[in-house]
């Protein structure tokens, strides 16, 4: 788990990304990044989290005494914008009140001009929680990326979402900006 800073003065109140890497030796792991985006100006219309997921490109290898870490395909990442309602749906699962987001619909559906994205979060049969993104554009086949969060990662994500709801809703009163 890492956090990454973005360029200072980038226009976001909290320029941090939470990154969870789940590589494996078969190179079919994935990574997740979560970034809060809070408005500085009312016209920005963010007040959300951006969830990015990337498939693993290469397995970690040893080259003598040197270890070369796994790589992830951030260039072809899948992205979903999580608003207040999405975070609440995800918290219902992370707090154990439902088995999966979206109930019988099988996920949270977001329609875009080019296609659709489905956000999946559900209790995993193997323990932890499966989180995934699936994106479909036009007639092309859907692209999917997912990983299983450990119980500890799920607790951390739940805490970030709980605090995030407060800041998404009330940040303008806490951190007024110049017009």
């Amino acid at each position: 788990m890492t956090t990454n800073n973005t360029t200072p003065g980038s226009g976001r109140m909290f320029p941090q990304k939470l990154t969870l890497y789940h590589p494996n030796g078969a190179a079919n792991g994935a990574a997740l990044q979560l970034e809060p985006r809070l408005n500085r100006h009312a016209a920005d219309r963010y007040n959300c989290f951006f969830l990015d997921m990337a498939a693993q490109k290469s397995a970690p290898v040893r080259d003598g005494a040197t270890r070369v870490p796994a790589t992830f395909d951030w260039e072809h990442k899948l992205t979903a914008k999580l608003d207040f309602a999405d975070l609440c749906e995800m918290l219902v699962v992370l707090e154990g009140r439902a088995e999966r987001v979206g109930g019988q619909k099988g996920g949270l559906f977001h329609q875009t001009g080019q296609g659709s994205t489905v956000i999946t979060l559900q209790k995993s049969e193997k323990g932890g929680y499966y989180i995934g993104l699936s994106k479909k554009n036009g007639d092309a086949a859907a692209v999917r990326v997912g990983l299983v969060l450990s119980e500890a990662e799920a607790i951390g994500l739940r805490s970030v979402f709980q605090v995030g709801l407060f800041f998404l809703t009330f940040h303008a009163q806490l951190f007024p900006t110049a017009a």
Side-chain angles (χ1 to χ4, degrees), residues 96-150:
R97 298 170 190 233
E99 288 293 313
R100 74 181 80 175
V101 293
Q104 298 303 317
K105 295 185 280 184
L108 301 175
F109 290 85
H110 288 203
Q111 191 70 39
T112 65
Q114 301 84 17
S116 61
T117 301
V118 178
I119 304 157
T120 305
L121 178 64
Q122 62 190 42
K123 190 80 172 145
S124 173
E125 294 174 5
K126 300 174 187 174
Y129 293 83
Y130 174 81
I131 185 167
L133 292 179
S134 175
K135 187 165 238 144
K136 183 163 175 42
N137 289 324
D139 293 332
V143 177
R144 292 178 177 85
V145 177
L147 57 85
V148 176
L149 298 167
S150 69

Side-chain angles (χ1 to χ4, degrees), residues 43-61:
D44 289 343
R45 298 182 51 204
Y46 282 124
N47 293 334
C48 65
F49 279 85
F50 275 88
L51 171 65
D52 296 325
M53 295 191 75
Q56 185 178 346
K57 281 182 14 178
S58 67
V61 295

Side-chain angles (χ1 to χ4, degrees), residues 142-162:
V143 177
R144 292 178 177 85
V145 177
L147 57 85
V148 176
L149 298 167
S150 69
E151 290 288 339
E153 290 169 328
I155 288 170
L157 194 60
R158 183 183 76 210
S159 297
V160 167
F161 285 165
Q162 288 170 333

